[in-house]
Amino acid sequence: MNELKKTNGTTLVELMVAFAIAGIFMVSATMLISSFTNVYLRIINRNRIQDISNVVMEKVVEELTYASETATEVDPDKIKGSVMLSGEDGSGNYLVAEYSNKDGNPVRMSTQADGEGNQKGLLLEYQPIYENNSPDGAILYEGSQWYMGKGFYKKNQVDLRFRKIENTACIEVILTVSDEKGRYKKTTEKCVECIDLDPNDVQGEGG
């Protein structure tokens, strides 16, 4: 009678152990890749916020540094100096800066949505220019709005505040850029000297 030959094979238990070990490795690899992906996305978001902060701050500094003392004062009762800060937020900061730019055009600087569903960003409103600088005069320039970089913000929000530094022609600019969900935020503060103005030319509303 012939004997059955013994064959070396894989038992069910060994297969189950092998699949379990493979599953552990796959889960670990997935978690590792997910972790690296999250870190990469955080770095990308933070770099984007940094870039937005740099570009917006550069524009704000350029505008305020060369604010002109030959302002076209459309409303003399409101604009008491060449740079007027208004919209006090309760903490000594202001939401709006009104001034004349280096070309002598009256400008209102703030941060808000542009009315077309875009995120909150830097807005420059060029005010009307009247003949003889009087609201009763003929309109020489209708005025316009300039919203910085539609699509530039990538769903990030920009908040801009101003603070007058007493006895100087300097304005402290406080710029905060945050992502849509508020997870990442960067606040930059910079003292901007209005080089063509005297200390009395920079005033806060009610000050």
Side-chain angles (χ1 to χ4, degrees):
M1 188 174 181
N2 295 329
E3 294 183 358
L4 294 175
K5 293 183 178 180
K6 294 183 179 180
T7 58
N8 294 325
T10 303
T11 65
L12 179 60
V13 173
E14 291 173 330
L15 284 174
M16 292 177 64
V17 171
F19 280 126
I21 294 174
I24 292 172
F25 277 114
M26 290 179 64
V27 170
S28 299
T30 301
M31 293 176 63
L32 187 61
I33 293 172
S34 177
S35 177
F36 278 125
T37 301
N38 289 335
V39 170
Y40 173 75
L41 291 176
R42 283 200 297 268
I43 292 173
I44 291 296
N45 288 336
R46 287 175 180 173
N47 287 343
R48 181 178 293 130
I49 286 175
Q50 179 68 59
D51 291 341
I52 293 171
S53 179
N54 290 342
V55 172
V56 173
M57 181 63 83
E58 182 179 359
K59 180 63 176 178
V60 172
V61 170
E62 178 188 2
E63 287 285 314
L64 294 180
T65 297
Y66 298 103
S68 171
E69 61 182 346
T70 56
T72 304
E73 298 185 354
V74 176
D75 186 352
D77 293 332
K78 181 178 181 182
I79 303 177
K80 301 175 183 177
S82 292
V83 175
M84 181 66 183
L85 306 178
S86 61
E88 209 270 333
D89 66 358
S91 62
N93 298 326
Y94 296 90
L95 303 176
V96 178
E98 296 177 83
Y99 59 96
S100 285
N101 63 13
K102 58 186 177 182
D103 297 320
N105 298 321
V107 185
R108 186 177 189 272
M109 178 190 292
S110 62
T111 51
Q112 55 183 288
D114 71 344
E116 298 179 7
N118 292 292
Q119 284 70 40
K120 187 177 180 183
L122 178 63
L123 178 66
L124 301 182
E125 299 174 272
Y126 293 90
Q127 304 301 307
I129 297 178
Y130 298 88
E131 188 176 21
N132 299 323
N133 294 342
S134 171
D136 297 327
I139 297 178
L140 303 178
Y141 173 71
E142 291 287 349
S144 62
Q145 292 186 345
W146 183 80
Y147 184 80
M148 184 174 185
K150 294 181 179 179
F152 167 71
Y153 299 105
K154 303 295 184 183
K155 295 186 178 181
N156 294 296
Q157 306 288 331
V158 174
D159 183 76
L160 188 62
R161 308 289 167 113
F162 308 95
R163 181 187 291 268
K164 174 178 167 54
I165 300 178
E166 296 298 329
N167 302 318
T168 70
C170 297
I171 299 171
E172 183 178 1
V173 177
I174 305 159
L175 174 65
T176 301
V177 182
S178 58
D179 71 347
E180 187 179 23
K181 297 182 179 179
R183 293 172 299 182
Y184 310 112
K185 179 185 295 185
K186 177 177 178 57
T187 298
T188 305
E189 299 184 14
K190 191 174 185 67
C191 177
V192 181
E193 181 182 4
C194 305
I195 60 176
D196 293 328
L197 304 182
D198 296 324
N200 291 334
D201 292 328
V202 180
Q203 297 192 21
E205 188 176 52

